[in-house]
Amino acid sequence: MKNTAHVPTPEASSASNVSGESYSAILRYFYPEFITSLILYSVLNLLDIYFIAQLNVASTYTTLGVTNTLFHFITKIAEGLSVGMVVVCGQYNGVHKYKHVGRAVTDSFWATCVIGGCIASLLYGGAYIIYGFYDVPQEMIELGVPFLRLRAVGVFFHFVYFALIGFLRGIKNTKVPMIFSVIGAVVFIFFDYALVFGKFGFAALEFQGSALASVIQYLVMFIGAFVYVFIEKEHSKYAIKLFTRVRWHNVRDLVHMSWPVVIDKASLAASQIWLTKLMAGVAKANSCVGGATVLESFVAIKDIERFSILPAIALAQVVTFLVSNDYLLQRWHSIKNTIKKTLLLSCSMVFGLFFIFYVSSGKILYVMGKQNVLTPFVVKLLPLVSILVFFDLLQLILSAALRGAGDVKTVMWVRLVVCGSFIPASWVVSFLHFNSSYLQFISIYGSLYVANALMSLLYVYRFKSGAWKKQSIEGS
């Protein structure tokens, strides 16, 4: 797609174009994104864990935690497609090509329907094989297979919802996605409680009730987003028409921007799956603290970390669309300063949350129903994990900024190569003999953050080289 419009001259006279977005502006975009991430990726997960823990059924907590690493992987694929929408819509929106935005929305919607349907079918049909790969005990497989198959139904709605939200983020609308997240949260909480315990006239489906609640949640969120995107009068300037001829060049542009993002996000999420598999293997072989405790401790720490890193995840979403909207205007200094401010905000928020979790870890583990078994093990590991997580938030923000600049292939190759090296390296580490189970745990767990540190260094080099300024959909 060649650019025929006049692109504004770089670094206009306005001081704001040099200093970047103000802290107040970044925070204004951040709060809705944080609430959205808080609801979708953490609060509902913790509440679900609490409900499941009340069932007092062996292995349900660990099965849920292991399965969540898979759905983290699936979510990252959906996010990758959504980021493609953010970049394409953001760059067109930044130069006021509104009809181009609308055409991209329609064509991307149908493409995402096909992709989401295929992935949902693979999950449903391959559920048993997936749990076999994790190398978990048979009782966990028996619990997990019907759970995964039911949740696979919701994956389709998950994908098309994220596609619509990508359009809204691309035009700098973060409040409406937050509203849909709140609505989805209320729906999930009601049905999770009702279906797990058999309340309000519903049958008690226990563990499977959690999966059905998730399906209902994303169905409601999809319907809400669909109605808003295609009917809202404010979107009339985009001329969005659902039932029209698919323009394959728009699908090509979405794929061009999305497939590297899908691969880079999926490769990092796959590393989490691999880490879970290694921990399951350590749990089988470890008799120092009990194999189950090792795996359960890993799940608990991942839940705490997932909550603490949420501000960085939300700010990564923000920096992507801020950079994309400034990119074709060639506001290079503005972009760099916005990234620096976003990093500073991320560090202060993430480390603050880790400190809160450290001093109140006993209460957090009580919610998970595992306080007596896991508290000493987890509390000893949290300070080191809080230091290591800096490298995770650093690569999150820098990779998101590169995506906003359309430099998606750099992020893809960096993550693909680094994560590809991490897998054999961590596998070797898992065979090393340690007298302390804590040392064995942290050596395997920490190997992922060594990979994150390497990714961060490569991203910093990319920015310093200036090569990131040469990427956009306009030159594709």
Side-chain angles (χ1 to χ4, degrees):
M1 179 176 11
K2 301 298 181 182
N3 183 21
T4 57
H6 173 67
V7 178
T9 56
E11 305 301 342
S13 59
S14 172
S16 63
N17 292 343
V18 176
S19 61
E21 293 282 351
S22 65
Y23 283 106
S24 60
I26 294 173
L27 289 173
R28 188 170 63 251
Y29 292 124
F30 161 76
Y31 290 127
E33 287 289 350
F34 178 69
I35 292 172
T36 300
S37 299
L38 184 68
I39 291 170
L40 292 182
Y41 302 124
S42 192
V43 169
L44 296 186
N45 182 48
L46 291 175
L47 188 61
D48 195 28
I49 287 171
Y50 176 75
F51 288 161
I52 296 301
Q54 305 310 304
L55 295 175
N56 292 320
V57 178
S59 300
T60 51
Y61 169 74
T62 310
T63 303
L64 181 63
V66 169
T67 307
N68 281 341
T69 64
L70 174 64
F71 276 93
H72 176 69
F73 174 79
I74 300 301
T75 299
K76 290 304 174 183
I77 295 176
E79 279 184 5
L81 292 171
S82 182
V83 168
M85 284 284 287
V86 172
V87 175
V88 172
C89 294
Q91 290 193 4
Y92 281 141
N93 194 63
V95 291
H96 309 300
K97 289 186 172 184
Y98 298 128
K99 289 187 178 180
H100 282 71
V101 175
R103 292 167 187 164
V105 172
T106 303
D107 298 332
S108 300
F109 173 82
W110 291 115
T112 306
C113 284
V114 174
I115 295 170
C118 291
I119 291 177
S121 299
L122 289 172
L123 285 175
Y124 189 91
Y128 195 91
I129 296 172
I130 290 169
Y131 283 103
F133 167 80
Y134 273 113
D135 197 26
V136 295
Q138 183 62 33
E139 60 268 23
M140 288 179 61
I141 296 176
E142 292 175 358
L143 275 171
V145 168
F147 179 84
L148 178 57
R149 285 177 173 168
L150 189 52
R151 284 200 63 176
V153 177
V155 166
F156 172 79
F157 300 113
H158 193 163
F159 269 76
V160 289
Y161 169 76
F162 264 79
L164 298 174
I165 292 305
F167 157 67
L168 296 177
R169 285 171 171 155
I171 61 173
K172 294 186 175 182
N173 185 340
T174 60
K175 290 184 179 179
V176 171
M178 176 193 70
I179 293 171
F180 289 137
S181 296
V182 172
I183 293 172
V186 172
V187 170
F188 177 80
I189 292 169
F190 173 81
F191 282 102
D192 197 33
Y193 178 75
L195 295 172
V196 168
F197 300 113
K199 303 294 184 178
F200 311 115
F202 291 94
L205 301 179
E206 298 187 339
F207 192 48
Q208 308 309 320
S210 170
L212 183 55
S214 179
V215 174
I216 297 171
Q217 172 199 5
Y218 276 102
L219 174 60
V220 170
M221 291 168 69
F222 160 68
I223 292 173
F226 181 90
V227 170
Y228 179 79
V229 167
F230 289 98
I231 295 180
E232 172 59 39
K233 292 182 179 179
E234 292 180 4
H235 300 157
S236 59
K237 64 183 178 182
Y238 298 109
I240 303 173
K241 297 178 181 179
L242 181 58
F243 298 104
T244 185
R245 179 179 58 86
V246 173
R247 301 166 186 84
W248 291 107
H249 66 275
N250 282 336
V251 176
R252 182 205 64 188
D253 289 334
L254 175 68
V255 172
H256 174 76
M257 283 295 170
S258 296
W259 74 263
V261 182
V262 169
I263 291 176
D264 86 61
K265 283 179 172 287
S267 61
L268 198 59
S271 298
Q272 300 284 356
I273 292 176
W274 174 254
L275 204 59
T276 305
K277 177 178 172 62
L278 290 182
M279 287 300 178
V282 171
K284 282 188 174 181
N286 196 310
S287 58
C288 296
V289 293
T293 303
V294 171
L295 188 55
E296 289 172 355
S297 295
F298 170 73
V299 170
I301 288 176
K302 289 306 299 180
D303 286 335
I304 291 173
E305 180 194 339
R306 191 174 291 117
F307 187 96
S308 300
I309 202 72
L310 282 177
I313 293 174
L315 285 166
Q317 295 280 9
V318 171
V319 81
T320 296
F321 65 69
L322 290 179
V323 170
S324 71
N325 276 267
D326 276 347
Y327 187 86
L328 291 184
L329 301 175
Q330 300 181 25
R331 295 172 177 168
W332 310 132
H333 293 301
S334 173
I335 288 172
K336 287 185 176 181
N337 286 324
T338 297
I339 294 169
K340 291 175 183 177
K341 293 174 182 178
T342 305
L343 277 172
L344 182 60
L345 288 171
S346 296
C347 289
S348 60
M349 293 177 187
V350 170
F351 291 133
L353 282 174
F354 255 108
F355 178 76
I356 293 172
F357 272 116
Y358 177 72
V359 298
S360 59
S361 55
K363 295 179 181 178
I364 300 299
L365 293 171
Y366 175 79
V367 172
M368 298 176 181
K370 298 291 180 181
Q371 70 280 9
N372 294 329
V373 179
L374 300 184
T375 298
F377 196 90
V378 171
V379 169
K380 188 173 181 178
L381 290 167
L382 273 181
L384 183 55
V385 172
S386 67
I387 295 172
L388 293 174
V389 84
F390 167 75
F391 300 112
D392 196 9
L393 75 87
L394 182 58
Q395 67 85 20
L396 272 173
I397 299 299
L398 294 179
S399 62
L402 286 171
R403 292 190 197 105
D407 198 3
V408 291
K409 289 186 179 179
T410 294
V411 181
M412 177 196 72
W413 283 115
V414 167
R415 283 191 170 176
L416 200 57
V417 171
V418 173
C419 291
S421 303
F422 155 75
I423 290 176
S426 59
W427 181 73
V428 171
V429 170
S430 69
F431 283 98
L432 297 179
H433 176 71
F434 293 91
N435 292 327
S436 167
S437 59
Y438 297 102
L439 290 176
Q440 185 176 25
F441 186 102
I442 206 65
S443 65
I444 298 173
Y445 194 86
S447 60
L448 180 61
Y449 294 93
V450 173
N452 286 336
L454 179 58
M455 283 189 275
S456 298
L457 289 173
L458 293 172
Y459 294 148
V460 169
Y461 175 79
R462 182 68 171 179
F463 275 108
K464 286 186 173 295
S465 71
W468 61 279
K469 299 176 183 179
K470 302 174 183 178
Q471 310 292 323
S472 82
I473 60 172
E474 295 293 305
S476 63

